[in-house]
């Protein structure tokens, strides 16, 4: 009769389960990672904005977030003025995006629906995009032509 110890199998299963749990936690943490924040101004309103300046940060954006504070948002910084389009894949919060030129002037504002791949584009080359909870710009009477203050320099 052959005897096969169950102990190695149990240890392998336990190690595999532990590794899976660690990877799941790391992935979830990465998906909801917070970026450095700055204060921006839109008229009399102060915005606490996370800054997405690197390519990987811009790709991640606000994906997997389930909520965002009333005056919180995310500003996307691009290396040079460019034609930019935004979309909402894996983004659970309805957002409005303001496309902003080199001087901080809002070019256009678009509303975006959660979990869609529909493109929302700047009407001309821009340096920044500022995402806020959907309707924030309208509620605060912030319109194209107005200036966003405190934007980071590239």
């Amino acid at each position: 009769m052959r005897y096969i110890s169950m102990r190695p199998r149990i240890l392998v299963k336990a190690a595999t389960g532990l590794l899976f749990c660690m990877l799941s936690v790391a992935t979830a943490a990465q998906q909801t990672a917070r970026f450095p924040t700055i204060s921006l101004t839109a008229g009399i309103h102060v915005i606490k904005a996370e800054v997405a300046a690197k390519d990987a940060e811009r790709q991640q954006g606000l994906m997997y977030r389930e909520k965002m504070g009333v005056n919180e948002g995310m500003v996307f910084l691009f290396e040079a003025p460019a034609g930019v389009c935004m979309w909402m894949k894996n983004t659970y919060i309805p957002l409005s995006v303001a496309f902003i030129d080199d001087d901080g002037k809002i070019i256009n504002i678009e509303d975006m629906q959660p979990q869609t791949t529909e493109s929302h584009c700047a009407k001309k080359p821009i340096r920044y995009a500022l995402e806020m909870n959907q309707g924030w710009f309208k509620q605060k009477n912030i319109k194209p032509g107005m200036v966003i203050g405190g934007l980071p320099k590239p």
Side-chain angles (χ1 to χ4, degrees):
M1 174 178 223
R2 261 174 76 186
Y3 172 75
I4 300 173
S5 173
M6 293 299 285
R7 198 170 281 174
R9 283 191 208 164
I10 292 170
L11 290 175
V12 168
K13 284 183 179 182
T16 302
L18 180 60
L19 180 60
F20 178 76
C21 288
M22 290 171 53
L23 288 173
S24 295
V25 168
T27 300
Q30 178 185 7
Q31 290 173 344
T32 58
R34 302 285 176 168
F35 304 123
T37 60
I38 60 170
S39 290
L40 302 177
T41 58
I44 63 169
H45 307 284
V46 177
I47 301 163
K48 181 181 176 183
E50 293 182 56
V51 178
K54 297 175 185 156
D55 191 47
E57 294 168 342
R58 288 190 297 267
Q59 287 179 27
Q60 179 70 39
L62 291 168
M63 284 183 175
Y64 306 106
R65 305 280 180 99
E66 294 183 8
K67 63 182 180 173
M68 192 164 56
V70 175
N71 292 316
E72 293 179 354
M74 180 171 282
V75 63
F76 296 77
L77 170 61
F78 300 94
E79 291 85 17
V84 171
C85 294
M86 309 291 277
W87 48 277
M88 298 283 286
K89 183 178 179 184
N90 297 321
T91 305
Y92 306 143
I93 308 166
L95 299 172
S96 295
V97 59
F99 295 103
I100 304 166
D101 72 9
D102 254 340
D103 299 322
K105 185 173 74 172
I106 297 173
I107 303 304
N108 59 301
I109 299 170
E110 303 289 329
D111 287 338
M112 303 184 296
Q113 296 306 313
Q115 301 204 65
T116 62
T117 56
E118 179 182 347
S119 291
H120 303 274
C121 302
K123 292 184 178 179
K124 68 180 208 177
I126 55 111
R127 173 75 69 165
Y128 309 94
L130 175 60
E131 290 181 340
M132 300 293 291
N133 285 310
Q134 192 171 88
W136 187 91
F137 296 103
K138 189 173 187 175
Q139 292 166 358
K140 308 295 186 203
N141 203 30
I142 306 297
K143 299 178 180 181
M146 296 181 80
V147 173
I148 300 296
L151 291 165
K153 299 298 176 199

